[in-house]
Each structure stands twice: as C-alpha cells, then as structure tokens.
Amino acid sequence: MTTPRLLFGLLLAALTVAVAPAADAGGKRPVVVELFTSQGCSSCPPADAVIGHLADRKDVLALTLPVTYWDMLGWKDTLASDGNTRRQKAYAAAMGRGGVYTPQMIVDGVTDVVGSREQAVDAAITSRAELQIKVGASDGMPNPNATIWLFHILGHAQVAVGNGENSGHTLGYRNVVRDVKAVGMWKGQPVSLDLPRAEMASAPYDAIAVVVQQNGYGRILGAAEISRAAYAIAW
C-alpha cells in the first residue's frame, strides 16, 4: 500500500516538474489565480462565475478564498475564514495598496484585477503564462527564498444566502480554499516534506494544492494540485 508520505512526495514531485526546465509542454506549471470573494457582496457572483470557468482550464490553478469582513452586514459567510482575510490583507501590504476589496483576483502573486472583469483577468493570465520561470538547484535565481503553501480545496459548494445583499439567492463556488498554511521553505535546493496525517484532517476538502511563493506573498514560482481521490486509498 502506498504511504501518505509517498503520496505527498508524488505531489511535490509534480511540483518539481512544473518549476524545473521543461522538456516539453507537459512541464509547464499552471498560472495561480486567487479570487477574494464573499457571500455578502452583491458584486461578487459574476466574479464567482469567472473563477468557475477558470477552474476548468488546465493552464490555471483557480482558488476561491471567501473573506470575513462582509459578515458585519448581517450574513455570516459560511465558507469564509480569517486565514483567507489575512492572506488578502498581506497581498495589499505587499503590493502597496491602500486596502482590500471584493471581488479581487490576484494573478500569480503579482497582479490584482477586479474579478468580474473577465477580459482583464484573461489578459493578466496570458501575461503570466508567457513568462517562463525556471527554478534550478539555486544558480541563476537571486534570493531563492520561498514559502511552500498547502491549500485544502473544496471543489464545489452551493450556499443559500439568508440575509445581506444577496439574501434569497443561491450562490455557486468553485475551488474554495477551506484552509491554507505554510508547510515549509524552499531555498534553492530540492525539498522533501513529511506531512503528518493530522494535516489532512482539517476543514472539508476534496483536493490539495501546493504553491511555492517567493518571500511568502510575492511571485509564484511553482504550483501543483492533486485530488483527494488520488491519495484517499492510503488512509
């Protein structure tokens, strides 16, 4: 039987392929698109639909991150987390923004776009997709100091909103981030992580994504995703 350690090793191996010099198109990593949204925000459903379309693309790792600060209007977002809110605020600080907003998309850790503006989102993805970032053993890259993020993702969610601006509407979401945490650092050398089983038993999810991000909230250097079905048998 394959062990959890080996399965996570396979996930990291996929990540290594994604960020290493590619021998063919199969080695290209996806562009990471993060949508900060809320069930209490009336302008967010169009952006939720955009991220839903992006979730079907093989060249994009689409992540929905519901935030908490709209809860004050009377509807507590049933999918939101303080971790998602902190992540958005950290991006605002890193990008020199005066504050946060919804719906906001962060593309590959370097560009923010209003999430409902699909053409602008596509342009930002295309711009990042054309840029090849090769991560070697450490040579050729200044300051190889990156955080390895682990995302627990719920592929689909439907929420009947009972109050606030979207009261009476049922909202659909794709690739909702239920939990995100830093699990290690990458400093230019191959990294192997042992992931305790307890890490896999957090908020409900059906996939895992690993993102390697320079300086924590900077440029995305690599990404990989694996469905829960691919490793659940090991439990």
Side-chain angles (χ1 to χ4, degrees), residues 67-147:
V67 295
T68 57
Y69 47 83
W70 280 89
D71 293 358
M72 69 180 68
L73 293 187
W75 174 258
K76 183 176 174 59
D77 192 304
T78 62
L79 301 173
S81 74
D82 290 334
N84 291 347
T85 303
R86 288 194 298 269
R87 184 170 177 83
Q88 187 184 24
K89 290 181 177 179
Y91 270 130
M95 293 181 174
R97 302 289 187 261
V100 296
Y101 66 91
T102 56
Q104 181 186 32
M105 283 190 186
I106 303 291
V107 179
D108 239 17
V110 295
T111 304
D112 75 307
V113 185
V114 176
S116 57
R117 298 177 182 173
E118 193 162 7
Q119 289 186 340
V121 172
D122 285 339
I125 292 171
T126 298
S127 175
R128 294 301 302 167
E130 292 174 347
L131 180 62
Q132 293 284 318
I133 300 175
K134 299 179 179 180
V135 180
S138 69
D139 295 337
M141 179 183 173
N143 303 318
N145 184 40
T147 300

Side-chain angles (χ1 to χ4, degrees), residues 167-214:
S167 179
H169 294 274
T170 297
L171 306 182
Y173 296 91
R174 293 289 306 275
N175 288 10
V176 180
V177 174
R178 302 311 314 277
D179 181 70
V180 56
K181 62 184 65 179
V183 294
M185 298 295 296
W186 180 82
K187 297 182 181 295
Q189 299 295 329
V191 174
S192 178
L193 295 177
D194 293 332
L195 194 68
R197 179 172 175 173
E199 292 284 354
M200 298 296 194
S202 60
Y205 69 98
D206 48 35
I208 286 174
V210 173
V211 173
V212 179
Q213 191 165 17
Q214 191 169 22

Side-chain angles (χ1 to χ4, degrees), residues 38-41 44-45 48 75 157-161 166 169-173:
S38 173
Q39 294 163 17
C41 161
C44 285
D48 300 330
W75 174 258
Q158 294 283 332
V159 178
V161 179
N166 289 318
H169 294 274
T170 297
L171 306 182
Y173 296 91

